[in-house]
Every structure is written in structure tokens, then in C-alpha cells.
């Protein structure tokens, strides 16, 4: 990395004239042509914490544990996690290498512009940015909606459960809870970054502590435990979805792991607020994914050892209304102590983790919106690019909150339509992850200049594996999940992602190509 002529290199101490050396991330930002507008206050740990809190094992695994149980059961849960985790690490390594070279809040779309070359830069930047931002909004929507659903289950179990006359909230009450959660997340994200940094670290700590408490507590309390043979070898092919092919069922079961292991681009979006971001941004991405894989594996094993009757856990007639993990927790404590209070408290631990996950997701959303509007890519860009006296992109925060609420309104019409929105969270984000990596291994293969963190001669191989994996899961999660295919059982993922693609490309052809020139520098020398 070469520093511009007006920047003194940071040799670890002050300059010979007593000057303070320039932060390496700030030096690189200025070299890329941007002035410092956000407050550079985050440490390496804080940067890692935001990504780790958004990946949030307790959020992803808990929310989609039903999917894993239904499609393959323990074999899909255990081995699917390791397979998806290994390939996700290839994606994370490639992203980290690019992040080290271009540490800006824009992240992925900025990388695409730089790596695609001058002629392709505007379009590459445009399509990556819109897939990234739409994917992030979908993540916030799905995370906060899953929290609203979990709160509804907690209330149901606290009032006697489904079989004991417990209170079942209507879809209107659930959407109201969702709106309340988003409102709180908007307020928290309006606070200065120093306070958000503390909350981000607290979120990471809570996720790790929560996983360890639950993975030990639940199998310990459970009076009936599964055998190691069941956990590591039992394959559940009885999915009631008309699918008998075991390989197909296993592949569908991968969705739980892949949905959970998303959102680590947050470390890239927080780079303009991170000290020495050209080193600490990449570290944040890699450590968040690596620790999540290890901790998540422990959580899955711990919970699965308490699984004894898969059909009952998935049945809508159980006390938790078919919410598998809630039923596992509730039953474990009820059978041992005669009441399920302890299980409900365990669900509260998860609810707090999901709350933190949604909070960090809004933080990441707002920084992406800030950067994308700084480059003029969004309608009313000047509005979303504004920062307040605390250097917080306040309008971008509230735009992210409002859009996440609007996306969740689809649940009132049809949960099938809502699931299509959620699918954008996984596929949309991963397409945005893969595009700059694809440009890195093709158009920029010969001229890419790595930053302090780089993969050396393995960069191209790792990049190609990452691109092929994203291509695989994009096809995989678009396949039918139930037969025969009807309006109610159709997998709307390709429809949702296809509509997003058509909208983004149409917007480009009709309007964007005339005025969007890719990332715009704002540093006046």
C-alpha cells in the first residue's frame, strides 16, 4: 500500500517532528479519495462484534432449526453446518482480502467498481450496491420479525401453552410488536457511535455466553436425551413435503446454516469508523465467521442431544405451536421440574440475542445507505447522506427502519410472500458478496493490489471456490421445497430475486446509466 504524498507513514511512533502518525485506515480512505465524515472510534474488537452480533448463532439457528429438523434432521443440522461453514469461510477470506485494499463504508459496491475496471465500474457498482442494500433490509426485516414471533411464543407458553389455553397473538399483534422492536432499534442507532460500540461488544459477549449456557443447560436438564448415534447418524426423510430423495433433502436442510452465516459484511461497512481499518476490518470479517462456526456447532450439538421425537417437535399441536426449539426448552424443564418456567427464561436469553442482532443489522444498513447515497446512487441521496452533530447518519438509520417495517407488512397478506422477502436476505446478500469476488478473480486478476491482509498466491483459488459456492446455493435455494407444486407450496425465492434483478436493471437502463458514474470521491485537495 502506497500512501499519498501528503501523508506521513505510520511507523508505530510519532513522526520525527513530533507529529502524530495518521491512522492507516484513514490514510487509505484519503488515498481512495474520501474525507473522514464518520467518527473513527471503533477498535478491532468492536468491528468484530458488529459482524458477530449480526451473524448471531442464537438468532439464525433458533429461527430455522425447524427447517433443519424437517429436511434431514440431525444429519443435516450437524454435517450441513460444517459443510456450509467451510465454504462460507472461503467467501469470508476473499471478502477480507478485498476489504483490506478498499476499507470504505460502501464495502461491496465500491469494491466492484474498483475491480471491474473503468468501463464496467458504474454498472458493476450499481448492481452490487442494490443487491447488498436490499439484502440488508431483508435481513433486518427477517431478524426483527423472527423476534416478534419468538415473543409471541414466549407469551403463549407463559400463559399456559397451546394445549393449556395460552394466548395466541394474531398476525396484527405480531406486526405491531415488530414495529415496536424496529422503533427501539431506530432510537438506539441514533446514539453516538461510542455508545453503539459498547452495545455491539455487549451483543457479542451475550451471544457467546448465551450459546455456552444453553448448549450445556438444555441437555443437562432434559430427562430424555438422544444417543450419540441419533445425533450423528439419524437422517429424517419424513418431511411431509413429498420429497424422498435423501441428497435433495440434505441440500434443502443447508438453508439453516447458510441463512445464519450471513451479515458479516458489517465489518466492511463499519471500516470508516474503525481504527486501522485496512487491518482490523478483514480481521473482523474472518474472526466473526470462524468463531460463529465453532460456537454454532456446539449449540447445534447441545440442542440436538435433547431431541427425541421429531414429528412432535414440528407438530403445530404442541405447546409451542410447532416452534421446535421453544418446545424442546419448555419440555425439558417441565418434565424435570413440573413447570416450564426455566425453558421460558432460556427463550428470553435467545430473544435478547435476536434483539442485539437486529440492532447491529440496522447499524450496518444505515452505513451502507450512507455510503451508497454519498455516491448519489439512491433517490433523494442528499437526504440519506446527512450526518448529525454526533457524526451519525441519522436519516439513513430511520430510512432503514421504515423500509424493514414495510417489507414485513407482506406477512399480513401471506406468509408465503413474506418468506420470499426473507429469501432475498440470503440469496440477495450472497450475490452481492460474490460479485466483487468474481471481478477480483476475472477482470482484476492481474492488476489487483492487495492491502496488509492478503491471501498471496491462494487469492485466485479461494476466490473461485467462493464464487462457485454462491452460484451453487443460489440455485439450490431456488429449488422446490415441497411436491406437488401449488400456489401455496411454490418456492418464491427465484421470483423474489428475479423481480429484484429486473427492477435494478430496469432502473439502470431507464435512468441510472445516464447519471450514475460509480463511486464519487469527495476529498478536495
Amino acid at each position: 500500500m502506497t500512501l499519498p504524498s501528503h501523508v506521513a507513514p505510520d511507523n508505530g511512533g510519532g513522526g520525527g517532528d513530533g507529529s502524530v502518525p495518521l491512522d492507516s485506515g484513514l490514510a487509505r480512505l484519503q488515498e481512495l479519495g474520501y474525507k473522514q465524515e464518520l467518527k473513527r472510534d471503533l477498535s478491532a474488537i468492536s468491528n468484530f462484534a458488529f459482524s458477530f452480533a449480526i451473524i448471531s448463532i442464537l438468532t439464525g439457528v433458533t429461527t430455522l432449526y425447524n427447517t433443519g429438523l424437517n429436511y434431514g434432521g440431525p444429519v443435516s443440522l450437524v454435517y450441513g453446518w460444517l459443510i456450509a461453514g467451510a465454504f462460507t469461510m472461503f467467501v469470508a477470506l476473499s471478502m477480507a482480502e478485498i476489504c483490506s485494499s478498499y476499507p470504505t463504508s460502501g464495502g461491496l459496491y465500491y469494491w466492484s467498481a474498483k475491480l471491474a475496471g473503468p468501463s464496467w465500474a458504474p454498472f458493476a457498482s450499481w448492481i452490487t450496491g442494490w443487491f447488498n442494500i436490499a439484502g440488508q433490509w431483508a435481513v433486518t426485516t427477517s431478524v426483527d420479525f423472527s423476534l416478534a414471533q419468538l415473543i409471541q411464543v414466549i407469551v403463549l407458553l407463559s400463559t399456559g401453552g397451546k394445549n393449556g389455553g395460552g394466548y395466541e397473538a394474531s398476525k396484527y399483534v405480531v406486526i405491531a410488536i415488530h414495529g415496536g422492536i424496529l422503533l427501539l432499534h431506530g432510537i438506539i442507532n441514533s446514539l453516538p457511535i461510542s455508545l453503539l460500540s459498547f452495545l455491539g461488544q455487549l451483543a457479542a459477549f451475550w451471544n457467546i455466553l448465551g450459546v455456552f449456557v444453553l448448549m450445556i443447560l438444555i441437555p443437562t436438564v432434559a430427562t430424555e436425551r438422544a444417543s450419540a448415534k441419533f445425533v450423528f447418524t439419524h437422517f429424517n426423510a419424513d418431511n411431509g413435503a413429498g420429497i424422498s430423495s435423501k441428497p435433495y433433502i440434505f441440500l434443502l436442510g443447508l438453508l439453516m446454516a447458510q441463512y445464519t452465516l450471513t451479515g458479516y459484511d458489517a465489518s466492511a461497512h463499519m471500516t470508516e469508523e474503525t481504527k486501522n481499518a485496512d487491518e482490523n476490518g478483514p480481521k473482523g470479517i474472518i474472526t466473526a465467521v470462524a468463531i460463529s462456526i465453532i460456537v454454532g456447532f456446539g449449540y447445534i450439538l447441545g440442542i440436538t442431544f435433547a431431541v427425541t421425537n421429531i414429528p412432535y417437535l414440528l407438530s403445530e399441536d404442541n405447546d409451542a405451536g410447532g416452534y421446535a426449539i421453544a418446545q424442546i426448552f419448555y419440555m425439558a424443564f417441565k418434565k424435570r421440574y413440573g413447570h416450564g418456567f426455566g425453558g421460558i427464561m432460556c427463550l428470553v436469553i435467545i430473544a435478547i440475542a435476536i434483539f442485539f442482532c437486529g440492532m447491529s443489522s440496522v447499524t450496518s444498513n444505515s452505513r451502507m445507505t450512507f455510503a451508497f447515497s454519498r455516491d448519489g446512487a439512491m433517490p433523494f441521496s442528499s437526504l440519506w447522506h446527512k450526518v448529525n452533530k454526533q457524526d451519525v447518519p441519522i436519516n439513513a438509520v430511520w430510512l432503514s427502519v421504515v423500509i424493514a417495517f414495510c417489507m414485513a407488512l407482506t406477512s399480513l397478506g401471506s406468509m408465503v410472500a413474506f418468506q420470499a422477502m426473507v429469501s432475498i436476505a440470503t440469496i440477495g446478500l450472497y450475490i452481492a458478496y460474490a460479485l466483487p469476488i468474481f471481478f477480483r478473480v476475472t477482470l482484476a486478476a492481474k492488476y489487483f493490489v492487495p492491502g496488509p491482509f492478503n491471501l498471496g498466491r491462494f487469492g485466485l483459488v479461494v476466490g473461485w471456490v467462493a464464487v462457485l459456492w454462491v452460484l451453487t446455493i443460489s440455485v439450490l435455494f431456488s429449488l422446490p421445497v415441497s411436491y406437488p407444486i401449488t400456489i401455496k407450496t411454490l418456492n418464491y425465492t427465484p421470483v423474489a430475486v428475479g423481480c429484484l434483478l429486473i427492477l435494478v436493471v430496469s432502473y439502470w437502463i431507464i435512468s441510472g446509466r445516464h447519471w450514475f458514474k460509480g463511486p464519487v470521491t469527495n476529498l478536495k485537495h
Side-chain angles (χ1 to χ4, degrees), residues 202-225:
L202 180 62
F205 173 75
W206 187 271
N207 265 282
I208 291 176
L209 183 67
V211 164
F212 278 107
V213 167
L214 295 174
M215 67 186 263
I216 294 165
L217 186 63
I218 298 304
T220 304
V221 169
T223 52
E224 297 173 28
R225 279 185 289 276

Side-chain angles (χ1 to χ4, degrees), residues 248-369:
Y248 192 6
I249 292 169
F250 178 80
L251 291 172
L252 291 176
L254 288 175
L255 180 61
M256 182 203 78
Q258 206 60 67
Y259 170 79
T260 303
L261 296 169
T262 53
Y264 45 91
D265 56 317
S267 286
H269 297 305
M270 303 307 291
T271 48
E272 288 185 38
E273 293 159 273
T274 303
K275 296 165 187 171
N276 300 318
D278 52 344
E279 294 179 19
N280 292 332
K283 283 180 190 170
I285 293 171
I286 295 164
T287 51
V289 173
I291 294 173
S292 293
I293 293 168
I294 296 164
V295 171
F297 188 64
Y299 181 57
I300 289 166
L301 285 182
I303 302 307
T304 309
F305 267 106
V307 170
T308 52
N309 186 340
I310 293 174
Y312 180 67
L313 290 177
L314 295 170
S315 168
E316 290 187 8
D317 296 325
N318 65 33
D319 278 318
Y323 199 120
I325 278 192
Q327 184 64 29
I328 291 168
F329 291 4
Y330 188 70
M331 236 172 23
F333 279 87
K334 194 169 185 180
K335 283 188 174 178
R336 184 171 287 275
Y337 300 109
H339 59 79
F341 179 74
I344 294 167
M345 284 299 99
C346 289
L347 292 176
V348 170
I349 290 174
I350 291 173
I352 293 169
I354 300 177
F355 183 84
F356 279 138
C357 176
M359 174 200 80
S360 300
S361 186
V362 172
T363 310
S364 183
N365 278 194
S366 59
R367 271 51 180 187
M368 171 63 197
T369 305

Side-chain angles (χ1 to χ4, degrees), residues 10 15 33 58 149 157 229 232 237 275 296 331 352 380:
D10 183 352
L58 292 176
Q149 288 177 313
L157 292 173
K229 184 182 177 186
F232 290 104
K275 296 165 187 171
M331 236 172 23
I352 293 169
F380 311 108

Side-chain angles (χ1 to χ4, degrees), residues 40 52 56 84 92 94 123 131 175 230 249 282 284 367 400 462 473:
R40 198 174 284 274
F52 186 72
S56 184
S94 283
F123 181 66
F131 264 93
I175 202 78
F230 175 86
I249 292 169
R367 271 51 180 187
S400 301
V462 172
I473 60 170

Side-chain angles (χ1 to χ4, degrees), residues 1-157:
M1 183 183 80
T2 54
L3 298 177
S5 56
H6 62 281
V7 175
D10 183 352
N11 298 316
D17 57 355
S19 63
V20 178
L22 201 58
D23 176 280
S24 63
L26 172 56
R28 183 65 181 137
L29 184 70
Q30 290 182 351
E31 189 182 341
L32 296 172
Y34 289 108
K35 62 184 177 183
Q36 184 73 41
E37 293 181 87
L38 303 172
K39 200 163 192 174
R40 198 174 284 274
D41 235 6
L42 297 182
S43 63
I45 292 173
S46 296
N47 183 286
F48 148 80
F50 277 107
S51 276
F52 186 72
I54 293 178
I55 293 175
S56 184
I57 297 306
L58 292 176
T59 300
V61 174
T62 303
T63 305
L64 286 188
Y65 193 78
N66 277 45
T67 302
L69 270 186
N70 204 34
Y71 295 105
V75 165
S76 279
L77 290 165
V78 173
Y79 301 107
W81 180 264
L82 294 175
I83 291 167
F87 282 108
T88 299
M89 184 51 83
F90 278 90
V91 180
L93 284 166
S94 283
M95 284 171 60
E97 182 181 53
I98 302 170
C99 179
S100 183
S101 188
Y102 308 116
T104 78
S105 288
L108 310 167
Y109 83 89
Y110 183 92
W111 305 347
S112 283
K114 286 291 180 185
L115 296 167
S119 54
W120 281 100
F123 181 66
S125 177
W126 177 271
I127 199 161
T128 306
W130 278 111
F131 264 93
N132 190 195
I133 207 165
Q136 285 194 342
W137 285 331
V139 166
T140 302
T141 306
S142 62
V143 167
D144 281 5
F145 194 82
S146 66
L147 176 54
Q149 288 177 313
L150 181 59
I151 289 171
Q152 181 254 317
V153 172
I154 289 170
V155 172
L156 173 64
L157 292 173

